[in-house]
Amino acid sequence: MVPRIAPRLVLTMFTHSRCQLCVTAKEALEVVRQRVPFEMKEVDIRQPGNEKWFEEYKFDVPVIHANDEFLLWHRVNIDDTVAKLQEILKNAATSEPSNSSDS
């Protein structure tokens, strides 16, 4: 029997250095992380190479993606975010293909 690997959760925060809402969002996400573990990446939309994200989110930071899918923007509601992340993990766990051909 092949051991099951827990689904991985990676949050990406699109931000920039002068974003005060981003500071508040990061603080809220640290509280969320205590209830639902995840990895966090930050993308500064004003840095070279991030022009696509700048055009997409220049008026909307912070924007958070979970596993490369839009999750939320502007403000982090802790309870709602925990519920959404738990749902993502639940769906990822049930959608993993079982590999019954492994010996």
Side-chain angles (χ1 to χ4, degrees):
M1 182 169 192
V2 177
R4 238 192 158 142
I5 298 172
R8 186 169 165 224
L9 191 54
V10 178
L11 268 55
T12 305
M13 175 185 280
F14 297 90
T15 184
H16 61 73
S17 61
R18 292 168 42 209
C19 172
Q20 187 56 43
L21 280 177
C22 299
V23 173
T24 305
K26 277 194 242 184
E27 291 169 355
L29 287 171
E30 285 305 319
V31 175
V32 170
R33 192 191 318 237
Q34 294 171 9
R35 294 168 57 186
V36 180
F38 58 84
E39 294 177 41
M40 179 75 136
K41 298 187 312 186
E42 289 186 37
V43 174
D44 185 332
I45 64 171
R46 293 184 175 174
Q47 290 297 311
N50 293 333
E51 292 81 5
K52 169 189 172 187
W53 299 118
F54 179 80
E55 288 306 315
E56 184 88 15
Y57 296 139
K58 62 185 165 192
F59 301 118
D60 294 312
V61 292
V63 176
I64 313 296
H65 287 192
N67 293 350
D68 298 323
E69 297 290 329
F70 176 84
L71 178 67
L72 61 90
W73 61 356
H74 301 161
R75 300 193 188 280
V76 176
N77 177 295
I78 292 169
D79 291 332
D80 289 349
T81 304
V82 166
K84 288 176 183 179
L85 294 178
Q86 288 173 334
E87 186 67 22
I88 289 168
L89 288 172
K90 177 181 162 191
N91 290 339
T94 58
S95 68
E96 286 182 3
S98 62
N99 195 346
S100 58
S101 64
D102 285 349
S103 300

